Amino acid sequence: MTPQPGSAGDVLTLISAGSATTRSDLARLTGLARSTISQRVDALIERGLVEETESGESTGGRPPRQLRLHTEDHAFAGVDLGATHCRVALMDISGDVLAECEDSMLIGEGPEKVLAHVDQRLDRLLGTAGRPRSALRAVGIGVPGPVEFATGRPNNPPIMPGWNDYPVPDYFDGVEVLVDNDVNVMALGEHRNSFADAAHLLFVKVGTGIGCGIVAQGRLHRGAQGSAGDIGHIRVSGHEDAGCRCGNSACLEAVAGGAAIARRLTELGLAAETGADVVALVQAGNTQALRLVREAGRLIGEVLASLVNFFNPEVIVIGGALSRVHEHLLAGIRETVYRRSLPLATHHLSITPSRTGINAAVLGAGMLAIEHYLSPDNINRIVNA
């Protein structure tokens, strides 16, 4: 249901965005009567969502009272689950990190063990921040596989045995949990923290596999079933002998992903099993690794050139394990994108390495939780409860 203009949820949106800091600002921006604005603001204050302080500059007479989000009684968590790691960040309602931790954890150990570990870490971080469990309002979780976002259930994730159709949100009692693909939360974290002014952004994760998170008009675009951006399985011509884990051949990640590069290096007699091994060889100056990474960049660039012509983003951000050697990977990507895309589409296009780095997913997962909680529909439910 779409909230009515000027609802309590809309008022909070203006306050949280910094567009309105006083009741007069709210009346001016919404066109509502001051009495109606007072009702909305008082309801938000009563629910502990907003606080009002006398800190404004006076233009004659009593200084205006300033409105801001009430951060002390609310906590949110972002969780980044990778194939071999678990990162958790506790945030306040404004997105500031209160406490964080990172542990080694194998996603293949299954949902019960992994989520129990996450739950323990949430309690520990809440204790570190001095906040009770009841202050935790929402949790965002990014996982390394496809997710049906509406239900929070992983959908046949190839590197997450035992997770298929598991109801992740149901594991946690008394708190809302949102689950999304890791590259989607990376895109959200990168956009909100580094490229908030870009309306259209692509975040490309180049690790063991390859995926893409899409921000359109400032919002995540997931598609009808949540599988938008799965570019790792776009066919690359001329590589029909490259089998992919999806069952097809010549998929982009089967020829340009970290695992694929590692296999080719192994065939050349070099010790490489993972994308991290590829990065280590490149950083050591191995010419074979350098050549294959740049070649992978060109292949990724072929796919991205089509996306640039179709979507016309302002920014393409490259993240994931291989972005640690971004000067070589991006050289190949840029070479192909600027050669194969239309001039109008690339005129103001920026192709850049991730600025949030390894924190992109955990920050994005936290923002996913915060933005859901602060959405006008949810705030109206809280106020009207």
Side-chain angles (χ1 to χ4, degrees):
M1 182 180 69
T2 302
Q4 293 299 312
S7 67
D10 292 323
V11 166
L12 187 64
T13 296
L14 292 171
I15 295 171
S16 63
S19 302
T21 59
T22 66
R23 297 185 187 224
S24 295
D25 289 342
L26 290 168
R28 175 174 51 82
L29 291 170
T30 63
L32 296 175
R34 287 178 178 268
S35 59
T36 304
I37 289 296
S38 291
Q39 291 174 355
R40 303 285 190 267
V41 171
D42 290 346
L44 293 170
I45 292 173
E46 183 181 345
R47 296 297 187 277
L49 295 163
V50 168
E51 60 184 2
E52 197 170 28
T53 60
E54 291 187 6
S55 58
E57 293 183 7
S58 175
T59 57
R62 198 168 99 179
R65 295 171 64 84
Q66 299 286 291
L67 298 167
R68 69 179 183 93
L69 291 176
H70 183 68
T71 61
E72 286 74 15
D73 296 331
H74 306 274
F76 301 84
V79 180
D80 167 25
L81 296 179
T84 60
H85 72 262
C86 169
R87 294 189 186 95
V88 185
L90 190 72
M91 306 177 184
D92 66 19
I93 201 169
S94 66
D96 290 337
V97 175
L98 302 172
E100 56 190 327
C101 65
E102 178 178 352
D103 302 299
S104 296
M105 168 65 66
L106 297 175
I107 196 80
E109 293 183 347
E112 297 289 340
K113 185 170 183 178
V114 171
L115 296 178
H117 179 84
V118 170
D119 205 36
Q120 292 169 3
R121 288 296 180 262
L122 289 174
D123 281 334
R124 179 178 295 182
L125 292 178
L126 285 163
T128 299
R131 304 202 177 186
R133 181 77 182 211
S134 59
L136 188 62
R137 307 299 183 195
V139 177
I141 301 177
V143 299
V147 175
E148 185 180 56
F149 181 72
T151 64
R153 294 171 180 257
N155 185 264
N156 293 311
I159 65 169
M160 298 173 63
W163 288 79
N164 184 46
D165 206 36
Y166 186 87
V168 176
D170 294 348
Y171 185 89
F172 300 88
D173 294 327
V175 64
E176 280 198 273
V177 176
L178 298 96
V179 186
D180 208 341
N181 177 265
D182 58 356
V183 74
N184 281 344
V185 295
M186 286 177 174
L188 187 64
E190 190 76 27
H191 182 266
R192 298 299 190 261
N193 286 276
S194 301
F195 297 96
D197 292 334
H200 300 88
L201 174 147
L202 297 178
F203 185 100
V204 181
K205 177 189 176 186
V206 186
T208 300
I210 299 173
C212 180
I214 304 167
V215 175
Q217 295 292 351
R219 299 169 62 89
L220 270 179
H221 174 74
R222 299 183 177 88
Q225 305 299 329
S227 64
D230 199 355
I231 66 171
H233 300 287
I234 292 177
R235 186 177 180 82
V236 179
S237 62
H239 297 271
E240 284 68 23
D241 58 339
C244 183
R245 60 185 178 180
C246 71
N248 292 320
S249 61
C251 291
L252 178 63
E253 73 172 42
V255 296
I261 299 173
R263 282 195 300 272
R264 293 183 64 184
L265 288 170
T266 299
E267 292 168 359
L268 294 171
L270 297 167
E273 296 182 2
T274 66
D277 295 331
V278 175
V279 169
L281 286 169
V282 171
Q283 291 174 335
N286 183 276
T287 56
Q288 298 281 20
L290 286 166
R291 176 179 62 82
L292 290 179
V293 166
R294 185 177 284 257
E295 181 182 317
R298 294 190 188 101
L299 292 171
I300 294 168
E302 286 188 18
V303 171
L304 292 181
S306 297
L307 298 183
V308 167
N309 288 334
F310 177 77
F311 181 62
N312 190 199
E314 297 157 68
V315 183
I316 297 177
V317 180
I318 308 298
L322 263 64
S323 69
R324 284 181 283 169
V325 288
H326 59 79
E327 63 272 23
H328 306 288
L329 185 67
L330 264 67
I333 291 174
R334 288 174 176 142
E335 174 187 331
T336 309
V337 168
Y338 288 115
R339 175 168 48 87
R340 298 287 298 274
S341 301
L342 294 172
L344 181 61
T346 59
H347 186 58
H348 296 292
L349 175 65
S350 173
I351 303 175
T352 182
S354 170
R355 295 178 184 174
T356 54
I358 63 171
N359 294 316
V362 73
L363 293 174
M367 291 309 301
L368 182 69
I370 293 169
E371 291 182 5
H372 166 76
Y373 185 79
L374 292 179
S375 66
D377 279 345
N378 191 56
I379 293 302
N380 290 336
R381 282 193 293 268
I382 293 171
V383 169
N384 295 328

